[in-house]
Amino acid sequence: MSKREEAINPSVKEVEIQREYIRKVGEINKGKGLKHHTVTYGCQMNAHDSEKIIGMLNEMGYSATESIEEADLIIYNTCCIRENAENRIYGNLGFIKGLKAKNKNLKVILCGCMMQQDAVIEKIKASYNVVDIIFGTYNLYRLPQLLHTNIESKSQIIDVWKEQRDIVEDLPQERKYKFKASVNIMYGCNNFCTYCIVPYVRGRERSREVADIIREVKNLVADGVKEITLLGQNVNSYGKTLEPEVTFAELLRMISDVSGLKRIRFMTSHPKDFSDELIEVIKERENICKSIHLPVQSGSSIILDKMNRFYDRDKYLELVEKLRAAVSDISITTDIIVGFPGETEEDNEATIDIIKKVRFSTAFTFIYSKRDGTEAARMEDQIEEQIAKHRFNKVVETLNPIIYELNKAHIGGVYGVLVESVSKNDENVLSGRLDDNSIVHFEGSKDLIGEIVDVKIVDCKTFYLKGELA
Ligand code: 5AD
Ligand code: SF4
């Protein structure tokens, strides 16, 4: 395949086909007041996919409901990164059996990463006939067509592809927030970290064309969006398959130039691909947030090698130092896995040590979960659950006081805050985020939602700051 073909070229014809199905299903559903209950598991990529699903459902005559009992259509957008994410889905399906007995017209749809695994499909086919439609990560845009076919045939539809055929853009999309949005810049991953299932369920790395990304960003900003998060499994390797090649730093500059865009975030960054050029851009551009999610996974070079991460402990520390030399107050957040096969007490100590050295602003800590089909699943010395739990607790106990101290350092300062929502418990309390992604609660009117306001930080807890309007 030529480099050109590896880039993603939107299929205009498919958009037209699906729009026609949206119209047909909308016609069938007209006047029925149907409701959907959509539940999303996993990462921001899945959350963004759900916005596309909900956008299409809206146009087909379904409005959203929080109540599963009230729903005419239930969708689970699934995740398979760890085993417990999968188990929850099977639990839900058991519960839905009862709902279906009461409402014969209820439709149940499963989609997302978990559906890309043959064993899962076999299990559902054999034991869960409550499911009406299954599709995967590559053909989400075909939801209107699949729903139409199911309505007409009343039979179970399973449509899971092994690879991407078309990229379909410009279908309806519901945005959860008016003032912030996510934009995919690439799909898939080529890294094959040995523990990770993502490359098997999201396929090879494909970058979107610069022009398509910029067009989407400009449209969002024209629509009132102030903050954009660029999404990809490994954003730092953006553009390698494009012709001419484009670096992520170059893309960031172009996005940063879009007039009216106040904040740019991106995730996830792989430490091995973090270039000096990228550090320069972050430093030079005011609207690029000074907050980087940089998964370290482990502090032990031996484990990092077994994880196939292509950096060691020293290289990671060197990168952190470079980032801080360029932007002294940059906040660094991370992902950590404990209990990877073969991990010793010494390896765990190395992780604890790197946490103390880097001083992460936040960390998502996970107990290693064995995923069939990955290289790590075949490794010897899988760690006992009790030992992994003990190490997990040690890691969290190291992290929390550091996170608290870093929060405390904000006290007395005044920061720009993008106001996101009003508290569930008190309608006078607002919640927003600083440039460095810290969450702050403060009193104010809900008219401020979507605005960037100055907030003075007066107090903090481990996971949020408390402030007052400055
Ligand atoms: N077990 C535990 N955590 C995992 N992650 C990915 N795969 C696994 C696994 N098999 C974590 C990594 C990654 C984050 C999104 O999920 O830390 O960065
Ligand atoms: Fe998984 Fe590694 Fe790719 Fe991240 S970079 S999605 S952890 S394989």
Side-chain angles (χ1 to χ4, degrees):
M1 189 185 269
S2 76
K3 273 194 162 189
R4 179 78 204 160
E5 282 162 337
E6 277 175 44
I8 304 173
N9 298 308
S11 160
V12 178
K13 194 165 146 260
E14 264 301 325
V15 176
E16 281 166 18
I17 294 170
Q18 296 310 318
R19 285 213 176 264
E20 183 55 19
Y21 280 110
I22 288 176
R23 196 192 57 73
K24 281 185 186 167
V25 178
E27 204 52 44
I28 295 168
N29 288 343
K30 206 169 178 179
K32 292 186 183 158
L34 297 180
K35 295 199 165 117
H36 76 89
H37 177 78
T38 299
V39 186
T40 311
Y41 295 88
C43 64
Q44 287 209 25
M45 195 70 83
N46 254 20
H48 191 41
D49 282 349
S50 286
E51 293 187 334
K52 296 175 188 172
I53 290 170
I54 294 169
M56 291 189 276
L57 291 177
N58 284 345
E59 294 211 0
M60 289 189 283
Y62 296 92
S63 59
T65 176
E66 296 272 314
S67 149
I68 190 166
E69 272 91 4
E70 218 180 75
D72 304 283
L73 178 67
I74 298 171
I75 301 195
Y76 290 119
N77 187 7
T78 63
C79 168
C80 58
I81 200 137
R82 284 169 291 275
E83 196 182 358
N84 55 7
E86 293 200 351
N87 289 342
R88 263 191 275 169
I89 297 297
Y90 293 121
N92 292 345
L93 291 180
F95 173 73
I96 283 174
K97 246 184 201 168
L99 291 181
K100 260 211 156 165
K102 281 188 239 152
N103 177 3
K104 292 272 176 293
N105 293 322
L106 173 64
K107 289 196 183 301
V108 178
I109 302 183
L110 299 182
C111 61
C113 295
M114 189 177 158
M115 299 304 127
Q116 290 297 137
Q117 303 170 95
D118 295 340
V120 169
I121 301 295
E122 289 313 314
K123 184 165 170 176
I124 291 169
K125 271 208 255 176
S127 316
Y128 296 93
N129 60 6
V130 290
V131 180
D132 296 283
I133 302 173
I134 296 180
F135 57 90
T137 56
Y138 303 116
N139 59 344
L140 175 151
Y141 65 85
R142 283 183 119 214
L143 168 63
Q145 185 172 357
L146 300 177
L147 191 52
H148 184 263
T149 312
N150 172 265
I151 291 169
E152 297 273 293
S153 69
K154 299 194 171 56
S155 57
Q156 190 181 56
I157 313 276
I158 299 179
D159 190 22
V160 178
W161 299 355
K162 286 286 159 223
E163 60 187 27
Q164 192 82 58
R165 294 182 206 162
D166 297 296
I167 285 290
V168 179
E169 303 191 327
D170 297 330
L171 276 164
Q173 195 174 122
E174 198 206 57
R175 285 192 284 111
K176 201 170 162 198
Y177 300 97
K178 225 188 135 16
F179 51 88
K180 68 171 188 175
S182 303
V183 172
N184 287 120
I185 61 165
M186 60 199 302
Y187 303 90
C189 181
N190 284 354
N191 287 315
F192 290 94
C193 301
T194 52
Y195 50 81
C196 187
I197 193 88
V198 169
Y200 303 91
V201 295
R202 290 259 175 192
R204 294 295 62 70
E205 201 173 283
R206 289 128 15 235
S207 294
R208 279 178 75 197
E209 294 282 351
V210 172
D212 293 329
I213 297 170
I214 299 290
R215 185 168 47 94
E216 187 175 346
V217 170
K218 282 188 174 163
N219 286 341
L220 287 167
V221 173
D223 204 26
V225 165
K226 296 197 168 93
E227 177 180 301
I228 280 182
T229 303
L230 306 173
L231 294 182
Q233 304 295 348
N234 177 12
V235 290
N236 309 87
S237 77
Y238 171 81
K240 286 189 180 149
T241 54
L242 294 174
E243 207 162 86
E245 250 184 54
V246 182
T247 64
F248 179 54
E250 284 164 347
L251 177 74
L252 262 185
R253 272 205 186 93
M254 287 184 262
I255 294 174
S256 163
D257 282 337
V258 173
S259 153
L261 180 55
K262 302 282 185 226
R263 285 179 170 187
I264 304 163
R265 302 187 189 281
F266 51 87
M267 69 186 304
T268 293
S269 291
H270 195 306
K272 81 178 163 71
D273 294 316
F274 214 108
S275 67
D276 291 348
E277 186 197 9
L278 179 55
I279 297 176
E280 258 324 288
V281 181
I282 297 167
K283 179 180 166 182
E284 117 203 345
R285 298 299 175 116
E286 212 182 308
N287 60 357
I288 298 179
C289 290
K290 308 299 177 244
S291 158
I292 306 290
H293 188 61
L294 196 64
V296 64
Q297 312 296 3
S298 169
S300 153
S301 296
I302 300 166
I303 295 295
L304 287 169
D305 184 44
K306 286 188 186 168
M307 287 177 162
N308 204 22
R309 292 288 291 175
F310 291 99
Y311 57 87
D312 60 15
R313 164 193 177 82
D314 290 343
K315 255 190 133 176
Y316 187 92
L317 287 169
E318 216 175 273
L319 175 58
V320 168
E321 218 167 89
K322 266 204 265 182
L323 275 163
R324 293 211 164 120
V327 184
S328 60
D329 58 349
I330 199 158
S331 107
I332 298 175
T333 61
T334 204
D335 294 342
I336 293 168
I337 297 178
V338 294
F340 184 82
E343 185 190 69
T344 61
E345 283 300 320
E346 221 181 328
D347 296 321
N348 186 234
E349 282 307 321
T351 297
I352 285 170
D353 185 69
I354 209 165
I355 293 169
K356 288 180 183 160
K357 288 213 162 76
V358 177
R359 297 174 64 77
F360 295 108
S361 299
T362 302
F364 300 98
T365 310
F366 309 105
I367 291 184
Y368 167 75
S369 172
K370 188 173 166 182
R371 307 283 59 214
D372 281 345
T374 61
E375 217 180 305
R378 296 186 288 273
M379 288 180 185
E380 285 173 11
D381 302 330
Q382 300 281 328
I383 304 295
E384 259 175 58
E385 200 181 326
Q386 273 318 98
I387 297 178
K389 274 191 181 153
H390 179 71
R391 290 181 189 164
F392 175 90
N393 290 341
K394 266 175 43 189
V395 165
V396 172
E397 278 160 23
T398 312
L399 280 163
N400 285 349
I402 294 172
I403 297 171
Y404 179 70
E405 272 172 39
L406 291 176
N407 271 347
K408 231 165 94 181
H410 288 84
I411 293 176
V414 175
Y415 299 87
V417 169
L418 176 58
V419 187
E420 294 193 342
S421 57
V422 62
S423 156
K424 277 195 184 126
N425 311 322
D426 183 347
E427 64 169 35
N428 297 316
V429 175
L430 302 172
S431 177
R433 278 176 197 271
L434 277 57
D435 180 295
D436 72 5
N437 220 13
S438 312
I439 296 172
V440 58
H441 300 310
F442 59 101
E443 277 191 15
S445 146
K446 64 175 186 289
D447 300 342
L448 293 177
I449 290 177
E451 301 296 323
I452 296 178
V453 295
D454 279 342
V455 173
K456 182 173 181 190
I457 308 303
V458 294
D459 197 2
C460 75
K461 299 271 186 236
T462 304
F463 298 111
Y464 62 91
L465 307 170
K466 287 185 186 176
E468 47 197 41
L469 279 168

